[in-house]
Amino acid sequence: GQQVMQIPQYQHVQEGEDFTTYCNSSTTLSNIQWYKQRPGGHPVFLIQLVKSGEVKKQKRLTFQFGEAKKNSSLHITATQTTDVGTYFCAGNYDGNNRLAFGKGNQVVVIP
Amino acid sequence: KAGVTQTPRYLIKTRGQQVTLSCSPISGHRSVSWYQQTPGQGLQFLFEYFSETQRNKGNFPGRFSGRQFSNSRSEMNVSTLELGDSALYLCASSWGTGELFFGEGSRLTVL
């Protein structure tokens, strides 16, 4: 079935450093969404990317959608302890409301 | 405005029993999706309802079913529970497409 792969699954990041998490699909996506889930919490929407090559920024977070609309990345600069959590990408293949979530990238921030 | 409300938050069942989970979406949202979250598999899509009709369905056995009422509230039911059904069941509402708003989830433990 249609699925998205996230790498890495786990990251330990020193506070103040940058990190990137990646999302890949074998088939073209209609759009991709990113969510963040804090420990013990529920997923919270971060952003949606729709256009090929799209880049969006939210303060220290930069989201990219690949030219072929098969991959995406989330880059966080100057990591803070509040960035701890699991980041999920969710691919939408045909514009409907059936999202295929990746398994997430669990991020631990080392003070 | 109030967020997505899921009840019950925690429940314990034994194998062979059945369970019904409830989800009240954000006022005005007509789409309700259900996801199963487990540590090893991430978020797995169960089904989506829009205006009382099942619009999308994931790859779960027939023991998993759902419905949506005219006020957009949704229920999901799992019959003949198995140990592997232990998970966090997340409900998410939306206008129809785009950003999902998740509830806190119902954590089911099957003994």
Side-chain angles (χ1 to χ4, degrees), chain A residues 33 35 37 42 96-98, chain B residues 31 37 56-57 94 100 103:
Chain A
Q33 298 178 14
Y35 291 79
Q37 185 173 23
H42 58 276
N96 63 24
N97 228 22
R98 176 178 176 160
Chain B
S31 169
Q37 185 173 30
N56 292 290
K57 188 177 186 305
S94 74
L100 297 182

Side-chain angles (χ1 to χ4, degrees), chain A residues 33 92 94-99, chain B residues 28-35 45-58 66-68 74 92-100:
Chain A
Q33 298 178 14
N92 189 317
D94 46 19
N96 63 24
N97 228 22
R98 176 178 176 160
L99 291 176
Chain B
H29 285 189
R30 296 167 67 186
S31 169
V32 173
S33 301
W34 288 90
Y35 289 83
F45 175 79
L46 282 156
F47 26 65
E48 184 228 356
Y49 288 86
F50 185 87
S51 294
E52 302 181 64
T53 301
Q54 187 181 84
R55 194 162 66 167
N56 292 290
K57 188 177 186 305
R67 58 178 175 169
Q68 186 180 32
S74 177
S93 74
S94 74
W95 297 107
T97 59
E99 177 181 357
L100 297 182

Side-chain angles (χ1 to χ4, degrees), chain B residues 36-90:
Chain B
Q36 181 194 65
Q37 185 173 30
T38 55
Q41 296 300 317
L43 280 83
Q44 301 285 308
F45 175 79
L46 282 156
F47 26 65
E48 184 228 356
Y49 288 86
F50 185 87
S51 294
E52 302 181 64
T53 301
Q54 187 181 84
R55 194 162 66 167
N56 292 290
K57 188 177 186 305
N59 299 320
F60 277 80
R63 300 185 297 108
F64 292 80
S65 62
R67 58 178 175 169
Q68 186 180 32
F69 302 95
S70 58
N71 61 359
S72 291
R73 190 178 71 84
S74 177
E75 289 182 348
M76 69 162 282
N77 184 78
V78 188
S79 62
T80 320
L81 284 166
E82 301 176 358
L83 295 178
D85 297 333
S86 294
L88 179 66
Y89 290 88
L90 290 162

